[in-house]
Amino acid sequence: MPHRYYTGEKVEMKIDGQVHELPVVVGTEGEKAIDIRTLRASTGYITLDSGYANTGSCISNITYLDGEKGILSYRGYDIADLAENCTFVEVAYLLDHGSLPTRDELSQFSQMLNDFAMIHEDMLRFFDGYPPKSPPMAILSSMVNSLCSFYPEMTDNPLENIDKMSARLLSKVRTIAAFSYKKSMGHPLVYPRHDLSYCANFLNMMFDSPVKPYEVNHKVVAALNKLLILHGDHEQNCSTSTVRMVGSARVNLYASVSAGISALWGPLHGGANEAVMEMLESIHQGGGNFRQFVERAKDPKDPFRLVGFGHRVYKTFDPRCRIIKQACDEVLDDLKVVDPLLDIAKELEEVALKDDYFIERSLYPNVDFYSGIIYRAIGIPTNMFTVMFALGRLPGWIAHWKEMWDDPAWRISRPRQIYVGPLSRPFVPMDQRGL
Ligand code: SDX
């Protein structure tokens, strides 16, 4: 496949006495991969890489990560610059379109988000069917999948409607998230308003009420914009790879994103932000003795892990964590909120980072370690933290799904395996089994 990333460089692989040449792909930042697409046909061998820690699934223009240097950029822009200077809607546009929007482009995009903010009134009945304690991520995943039933035209000719589908999804997921919270509280729904920005609208839908109007606090809006931007994309993480995997079978955007939401739910992935708060809360309830948690995390016989620590790619500080940690102090100070969990988190980080177990394994705080402190300070309930992660990650999922659909070399994702089960054996009729 003629790609400007093939420099002509090759590697040699000697298999069963024969030397095989495989082409090398070189990325923008010099990252190299061995293209093994002809390996099985020419050698009969496949590669094995459980968890895909050494395997690239695609070539992508969207996000660059350097796990050793702690670098993260979206379409070439460093996330620190984006988090400092943009709104989430600007960054969502950047991720999905490849460039920062002009003033006019941003105004048109914002208008589309407003136009698509409502969900079909028939969808409201779904909320009545969920038991009161339904997990918000389960509701979100099924409601997003239901969008295919209400907007089938968007899935028949996807690429002609991709801008509409993206705006529809970005706007409606925000409404579904807020409505599911109001439903869980037994409070009346608050509808989106066209006079509020994306994040202000979400906060108003979450916290406004007929008896106590919500006053939009611009510092809270700024904090939420920053958090959603920092969650915008993260190359081939578990949930994004899931969106690509499901979408690769030519599944529409809504159903592909619904699968991504389910993957993000896991406590090893996006669900970690809720688990961090539960861990910090139990340390606090136990009198602040976080050392026992550090010791448990180090014990190979104990399945407990220090949630919010460690990362498959980052072997230094997660750059998002640095920004969020600093924002914690600013937001809590702005809102005059004192949260003992922040001090516990900082002390826990300090102790862990000095411990050989964590140092030897390059375990640092990740994006989930501090984010819950801010969500809590702005009033988001803990069981909605992973929903907030999904809101932020949505533009990244959309961008990757679209990039895959646009790729002329795209094929359905279907990994191979090595079978280690029983050798072929004769069938045993029921009356001879167990004899
Ligand atoms: C996210 O992929 C992404 O980009 C994800 C994400 C995104 O933006 O999409 O960044 C978001 O999911 C962040 C991660 C949130 N999860 C957690 O905080 C859960 C706690 N962390 C771990 O479970 C773990 O670190 C993972 C899941 C994040 C990474 O797992 P890996 O890469 O498979 O690492 P591993 O399990 O092979 O661990 C290597 C070693 C092991 O010890 P040894 O067997 O070598 O003795 O490090 C240990 C692990 O036991 N280890 C931990 C640990 N994380 C790894 N030990 C204690 N506490 C931890 N948190």
Side-chain angles (χ1 to χ4, degrees), residues 6 18 31 59 61 146 151 153 178 193 212-213 241 246 265 275 282 310 318 320 322 333 337 371 407 420 430:
Y6 288 87
Q18 199 180 345
E31 209 171 8
I59 287 173
N61 290 280
S146 312
Y151 307 98
E153 73 288 351
R193 284 172 33 184
K212 190 180 174 207
S241 296
V246 170
W265 190 0
S282 50
D318 182 330
R320 302 167 295 178
R322 283 187 197 284
D333 191 33
V337 166
S371 55
D407 180 357
V420 293
M430 180 58 82

Side-chain angles (χ1 to χ4, degrees), residues 297-317:
K298 291 159 59 177
D299 179 354
K301 291 187 287 305
D302 189 329
F304 173 77
R305 289 212 161 162
L306 208 61
V307 201
F309 258 73
H311 199 276
R312 172 64 56 79
V313 175
Y314 289 124
K315 299 310 167 192
T316 180
F317 260 96

